[in-house]
């Protein structure tokens, strides 16, 4: 069984992935992609990479095999309370400003979107922050939508059972309050946190599905757009802009900048942190 892709097959496959998911793989990812294709060939019983690529192009009508491949290609390295300074700016400044503005208008709905949520650490972190920072939470209708292209990590997210590494940055008082530690060293999230988050499978390159999303006060899409090229990145962020309420905020990864992608957002200080919002 011949596993290694040749360059022509690699280019056809990466072009197909780009058109389906907006993710661009450069030539330096040749070995990485080859090994993932090998795993899928073993699972499907196909003998050659060319047969596998042909199957994806012409016979994968429901997209299930492409989805299985994408599940292997997206790296899901995350943990609770990642990038604490950014979360602090959200919790102590942006969140409080939005809550005050909405309450003054009699609007008690708060909507947050975690796009590229992986195994759930980010949206659950945001839920814990809301539980801690919204004093009159019982008077608010809070929903956190968490989406990802990887169906496997979404299943893990719904279970909400985490390793010690995932909770290494959780403040001790939060760990005691919101997690149940079992003898096997697994940390199980409290029900009151889980019920605030709704998980949904979503490809950020699916323009029709993205157009359905709207009414958000905050969008978090951290360390996801690094997989996209400039064109795809701008398309997604433009959709985010439309999906945000006026005055809503977008938070990207520490190595990403909304201002470098589009000029649509305005910027301001939130404590010592720069944040982007829809004016």
């Amino acid at each position: 069984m011949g596993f290694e892709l040749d360059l022509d097959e690699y280019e056809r496959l990466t072009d197909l992935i780009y058109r389906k998911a907006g993710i661009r793989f450069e030539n330096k990812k040749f070995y990485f992609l080859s090994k993932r294709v090998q795993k899928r060939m073993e699972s499907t019983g196909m003998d050659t990479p060319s047969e596998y690529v042909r199957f994806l192009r012409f016979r994968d009508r429901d997209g299930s095999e492409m989805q299985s491949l994408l599940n292997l290609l997206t790296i899901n390295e995350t943990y609770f309370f990642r990038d604490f300074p950014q979360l602090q700016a959200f919790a102590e400044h942006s969140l409080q400003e939005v809550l005050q503005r909405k309450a003054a208008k009699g609007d008690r709905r708060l909507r947050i979107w975690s796009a590229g949520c992986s195994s759930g650490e980010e949206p659950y972190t945001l839920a814990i922050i809301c539980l801690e920072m919204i004093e009159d939470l019982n008077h608010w209708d809070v929903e956190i939508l968490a989406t990802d292209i990887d169906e496997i990590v979404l299943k893990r997210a719904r279970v909400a059972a985490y390793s010690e590494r995932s909770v290494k940055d959780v403040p001790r008082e939060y760990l005691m309050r919101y997690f149940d530690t079992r003898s096997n060293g697994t940390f199980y999230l409290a029900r009151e946190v889980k019920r605030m988050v709704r998980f949904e499978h979503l490809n950020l390159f699916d323009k029709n599905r993205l157009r359905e999303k709207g009414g958000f006060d905050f969008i978090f899409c951290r360390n996801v757009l690094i997989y996209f090229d400039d064109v795809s990145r701008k398309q997604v962020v433009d959709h985010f802009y439309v999906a945000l309420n006026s005055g809503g905020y977008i938070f990207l990864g520490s190595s990403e900048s909304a201002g470098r992608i589009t000029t649509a957002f305005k910027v301001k200080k939130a404590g010592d942190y720069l944040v982007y919002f829809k004016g």
Side-chain angles (χ1 to χ4, degrees), residues 2-48:
F3 286 120
E4 191 164 332
L5 291 160
D6 63 31
L7 189 58
D8 182 59
E9 290 161 348
Y10 179 83
E11 290 175 350
R12 279 187 289 151
L13 181 56
T14 54
D15 181 64
L16 185 61
I17 292 168
Y18 178 73
R19 285 188 281 115
K20 293 286 186 180
I23 301 171
R24 175 69 74 189
F25 285 94
E26 305 296 341
N27 286 347
K28 64 183 178 182
K29 293 287 188 178
F30 189 97
Y31 179 77
F32 171 83
L33 190 60
S34 295
K35 298 304 288 184
R36 271 66 185 173
V37 168
Q38 175 181 336
K39 286 186 178 181
R40 291 311 306 158
M41 285 170 56
E42 290 170 350
S43 296
T44 57
M46 296 185 195
D47 292 326
T48 64

Side-chain angles (χ1 to χ4, degrees), residues 69-133:
L69 179 61
L70 289 171
N71 290 347
L72 291 177
L73 295 177
T74 49
I75 301 168
N76 300 291
E77 202 279 330
T78 186
Y79 47 88
F80 282 86
F81 287 88
R82 185 178 187 179
D83 195 350
F84 192 85
Q86 185 184 73
L87 293 173
Q88 188 173 29
F90 161 70
E92 297 179 1
H93 299 277
S94 303
L95 177 61
Q96 304 309 318
E97 183 246 295
V98 168
L99 291 172
Q100 290 172 19
R101 172 161 38 85
K102 299 194 84 164
K105 296 189 296 184
D107 181 359
R108 291 277 175 167
R109 296 176 76 250
L110 184 71
R111 293 292 180 266
I112 302 172
W113 181 7
S114 170
C117 67
S118 187
S119 44
E121 287 90 336
E122 177 178 275
Y124 287 140
T125 294
L126 299 174
I128 291 172
I129 289 173
C130 287
L131 286 164
E132 288 291 320
M133 300 299 293

Side-chain angles (χ1 to χ4, degrees), residues 218-273:
F218 296 95
I219 295 177
F220 284 77
C221 186
R222 305 193 298 171
N223 307 299
V224 175
L225 298 178
I226 54 174
Y227 296 109
F228 292 20
D229 67 359
D230 290 344
V231 174
S232 303
R233 204 174 287 129
K234 187 175 188 310
Q235 288 177 357
V236 172
V237 172
D238 285 346
H239 278 295
F240 287 158
Y241 183 85
V242 174
L244 275 172
N245 292 329
S246 180
Y249 289 83
I250 185 168
F251 289 91
L252 303 181
S254 55
S255 64
E256 302 160 328
S257 167
R260 287 200 295 268
I261 300 170
T262 177
T263 58
F265 291 97
K266 296 182 178 179
V267 64
K268 67 166 118 175
K269 290 287 288 290
D272 296 327
Y273 206 91

Side-chain angles (χ1 to χ4, degrees), residues 116-279:
C117 67
S118 187
S119 44
E121 287 90 336
E122 177 178 275
Y124 287 140
T125 294
L126 299 174
I128 291 172
I129 289 173
C130 287
L131 286 164
E132 288 291 320
M133 300 299 293
I134 305 177
E135 293 182 5
D136 57 342
L137 186 61
N138 290 337
H139 296 97
W140 285 87
D141 173 15
V142 179
E143 182 181 85
I144 300 169
L145 172 66
T147 66
D148 203 276
I149 195 172
D150 187 337
E151 292 174 325
I152 294 173
V153 294
L154 287 173
K155 289 178 182 177
R156 284 170 29 204
R158 292 185 180 101
V159 173
Y162 295 98
S163 67
E164 186 173 358
R165 187 184 181 285
S166 290
V167 301
K168 64 184 177 65
D169 286 348
V170 178
R172 180 167 177 76
E173 61 269 28
Y174 295 176
L175 199 63
M176 301 294 289
R177 194 174 303 155
Y178 298 114
F179 292 85
D180 177 21
T181 311
R182 306 285 171 85
S183 57
N184 62 0
T186 302
F187 294 80
Y188 291 86
L189 198 63
R191 188 173 300 168
E192 66 175 318
V193 182
K194 290 176 66 175
R195 68 187 179 200
M196 294 177 67
V197 181
R198 177 171 64 86
F199 290 96
E200 182 181 312
H201 177 252
L202 179 68
N203 178 352
L204 289 177
F205 212 55
D206 187 334
K207 297 179 179 65
N208 292 328
R209 291 282 308 283
L210 280 187
R211 289 191 190 103
E212 299 170 359
K213 306 301 179 193
F216 292 100
D217 302 295
F218 296 95
I219 295 177
F220 284 77
C221 186
R222 305 193 298 171
N223 307 299
V224 175
L225 298 178
I226 54 174
Y227 296 109
F228 292 20
D229 67 359
D230 290 344
V231 174
S232 303
R233 204 174 287 129
K234 187 175 188 310
Q235 288 177 357
V236 172
V237 172
D238 285 346
H239 278 295
F240 287 158
Y241 183 85
V242 174
L244 275 172
N245 292 329
S246 180
Y249 289 83
I250 185 168
F251 289 91
L252 303 181
S254 55
S255 64
E256 302 160 328
S257 167
R260 287 200 295 268
I261 300 170
T262 177
T263 58
F265 291 97
K266 296 182 178 179
V267 64
K268 67 166 118 175
K269 290 287 288 290
D272 296 327
Y273 206 91
L274 285 177
V275 293
Y276 292 88
F277 69 102
K278 180 176 178 177

